[in-house]
């Protein structure tokens, strides 16, 4: 288990990370979601020993990063936000270089190297110079490099920003597979769809603080994030709207033609209640659609801002 406890980081007067704590269990895919400048990269840098926190600590299976940096660093692989490769080296040479930094040599290095190239889909390009790679291929090599020592925990800082859709899909599928095969993944992004797709647990950061943390479902439902329920009716709708409006279960009740739309905190409760109310009317239910609340609506609810709107252009640079 990886534990982050009360990490705090200031740059001058500016608090970049404000006493945040979370835990990542072995085998989890954990998402760290937040807009530009939220403090995600600063958090990852402290977790991987690249930055010293002002206070707080990081532990892996009880081993403290500040006491045993080597123990943790051997078990973690960081994919940095900006591509960090030697452009004038080939894919294979980049991997060999970083392998040796981690003390991986000989047959183990050869095995790891083949595995990393295969996972990144770069086996055929192993002899090619990194500078000849497309942005997406460089990103994939960046990921391969982070795994050359076969870490238990792969920590990725916005690995899909600024790349073509094929490379993005390749990366998402790769991460999903690695996690299924047992690798613990910490995945940072400002794309809520990616976190929803990959992660079972997550934390949302904003202005250096953790504003939500838990299972994907719990965070989605957080603090009033509501489901939207659409019911297709036939027959005489009558005073259905009025009845629903008087019931606290339903919010934002609207009827348009034969379509009834409302929102609810708990979709299951609201649907069964609406069905029983409708059963007493002279109309019939034809179709139900339930749109679950998503991370976007949770973020909106918590901060009053849209996740996307609060992301500046800097976040979209490769
Ligand atoms: N070395 C530094 N010196 C001063 N301020 C910094 C430094 N690094 C980060 N900051 C500031 O700390 C805050 C958090 O930055 P950080 O890079 O951790 O955010 P982020 O969530 O990774 O954002 P992004 O999505 O843009 O990568 C920002 O206000 C940033 O300007
Ligand atoms: Mg960042």
């Amino acid at each position: 288990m990886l534990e982050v406890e009360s990490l705090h980081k200031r740059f001058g007067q500016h608090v970049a990370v404000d006493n945040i704590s979370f835990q990542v269990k072995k085998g989890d895919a954990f998402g760290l979601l937040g807009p530009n400048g939220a403090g995600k990269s600063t958090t990852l840098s402290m977790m991987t020993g690249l930055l010293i926190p002002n206070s707080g600590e990081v532990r892996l299976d009880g081993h403290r990063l500040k006491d045993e940096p080597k123990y943790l660093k051997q078990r973690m692989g960081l994919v940095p936000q900006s591509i960090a490769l030697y452009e004038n080296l080939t894919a294979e040479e980049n991997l060999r270089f970083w392998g040796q930094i981690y003390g991986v040599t000989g047959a183990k290095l050869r095995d790891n190297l083949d595995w990393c190239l295969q996972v990144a889909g770069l086996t055929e390009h192993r002899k090619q110079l990194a500078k000849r790679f497309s942005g997406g291929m460089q990103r994939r090599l960046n990921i391969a490099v982070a795994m050359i020592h076969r870490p238990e925990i792969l920590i990725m800082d916005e690995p899909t920003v600024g790349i073509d859709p094929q490379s993005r899909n390749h990366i998402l599928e790769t991460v999903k597979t690695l996690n299924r095969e047992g690798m613990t993944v910490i995945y940072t992004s400002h794309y809520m769809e990616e976190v929803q797709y990959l992660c079972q647990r997550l934390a949302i950061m904003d202005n250096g603080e953790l504003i939500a943390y838990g299972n994907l479902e719990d965070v989605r439902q957080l603090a009033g994030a509501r489901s939207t329920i659409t019911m297709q009716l036939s027959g005489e709708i009558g005073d259905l709207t009025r009845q629903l409006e008087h019931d606290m279960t339903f919010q934002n009740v609207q009827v348009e033609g034969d379509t009834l739309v409302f929102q609810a905190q708990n979709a299951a409760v609201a649907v069964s209640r609406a069905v029983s109310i409708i059963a007493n009317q002279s109309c019939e239910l034809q179709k139900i659609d339930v749109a679950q609340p998503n991370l976007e609506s949770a973020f909106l609810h918590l901060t009053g801002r849209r996740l996307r709107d609060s992301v500046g252009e800097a976040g979209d640079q490769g």
Side-chain angles (χ1 to χ4, degrees), residues 89-93 117 120-130 132-134 137 140-141:
L89 297 184
T90 63
E92 199 173 305
E93 287 163 346
L117 286 167
L122 293 172
T123 304
E124 282 141 52
H125 305 280
R126 60 196 296 158
K127 304 279 185 207
Q128 220 169 308
L129 293 180
R132 302 262 177 265
F133 279 5
S134 69
M137 286 163 78
R140 277 144 57 189
L141 182 55

Side-chain angles (χ1 to χ4, degrees), residues 235-289:
E236 192 53 53
I237 290 180
D239 70 345
L240 189 59
T241 320
R242 197 185 51 78
Q243 285 199 44
L244 298 186
E245 272 171 353
H246 280 98
D247 191 320
M248 298 282 281
T249 316
F250 311 102
Q251 287 106 33
N252 301 327
V253 181
Q254 284 168 29
V255 174
E256 205 169 290
D258 52 7
T259 307
L260 166 69
V261 183
F262 57 84
Q263 292 191 306
Q265 206 91 29
N266 185 326
V269 168
V271 166
S272 88
R273 206 171 176 98
V275 167
S276 70
I277 293 173
I278 291 166
N280 293 324
Q281 307 284 311
S282 28
C283 59
E284 256 179 68
L285 184 55
Q286 302 294 340
K287 194 165 160 249
I288 304 180
D289 177 72

Side-chain angles (χ1 to χ4, degrees), residues 40-41 81 157-158:
K40 305 181 298 293
S41 297
Q81 183 164 4
D157 196 351
E158 308 210 31

Side-chain angles (χ1 to χ4, degrees), residues 11 14 16 34-43 81 158 190 315:
F11 294 110
H14 180 68
N36 242 198
K40 305 181 298 293
S41 297
T42 306
T43 302
Q81 183 164 4
E158 308 210 31
H190 60 250

Side-chain angles (χ1 to χ4, degrees), residues 4-198:
V4 166
E5 193 176 298
S6 307
L7 274 188
H8 189 86
K9 185 70 190 175
R10 284 184 307 273
F11 294 110
Q13 294 296 315
H14 180 68
V15 176
V17 173
D18 194 3
N19 276 314
I20 67 166
S21 303
F22 59 87
Q23 298 177 348
V24 182
K25 287 187 225 115
K26 206 155 277 203
D28 257 7
F30 183 86
L32 190 58
L33 187 67
N36 242 198
K40 305 181 298 293
S41 297
T42 306
T43 302
L44 298 191
S45 295
M46 291 191 284
M47 288 168 68
T48 48
L50 297 173
L51 256 186
I52 307 292
N54 292 104
S55 57
E57 66 176 35
V58 178
R59 289 186 299 270
L60 178 61
D61 299 329
H63 300 261
R64 300 190 331 166
L65 177 61
K66 61 183 161 203
D67 299 335
E68 300 174 77
K70 217 168 156 196
Y71 179 93
L72 276 85
K73 286 181 188 179
Q74 283 292 347
R75 286 162 180 79
M76 299 198 271
L78 173 68
V79 182
Q81 183 164 4
S82 39
I83 290 170
L85 296 169
Y86 288 101
E87 291 211 311
N88 289 316
L89 297 184
T90 63
E92 199 173 305
E93 287 163 346
N94 267 287
L95 285 161
R96 189 163 294 125
F97 173 82
W98 284 104
Q100 282 160 0
I101 298 260
Y102 277 101
V104 187
T105 53
K108 180 114 177 11
L109 180 56
R110 278 196 300 279
D111 285 352
N112 288 9
L113 205 146
D114 288 344
W115 179 79
C116 287
L117 286 167
Q118 182 250 316
V119 169
L122 293 172
T123 304
E124 282 141 52
H125 305 280
R126 60 196 296 158
K127 304 279 185 207
Q128 220 169 308
L129 293 180
K131 69 175 168 199
R132 302 262 177 265
F133 279 5
S134 69
M137 286 163 78
Q138 289 190 351
R139 282 262 159 215
R140 277 144 57 189
L141 182 55
N142 214 36
I143 296 171
V145 162
M147 300 192 299
I148 190 64
H149 57 304
R150 300 294 302 256
E152 291 165 21
I153 305 171
L154 184 62
I155 303 180
M156 311 179 92
D157 196 351
E158 308 210 31
T160 59
V161 166
I163 57 172
D164 61 280
Q166 277 101 323
S167 283
R168 183 180 185 223
N169 286 341
H170 184 279
I171 290 173
L172 289 174
E173 289 312 315
T174 304
V175 176
K176 191 103 186 163
T177 306
L178 287 169
N179 178 240
R180 273 205 204 104
E181 290 169 358
M183 180 151 354
T184 307
V185 174
I186 299 176
Y187 192 93
T188 293
S189 181
H190 60 250
Y191 297 122
M192 56 121 193
E193 316 88 344
E194 293 188 351
V195 169
Q196 279 186 171
Y197 175 66
L198 292 173

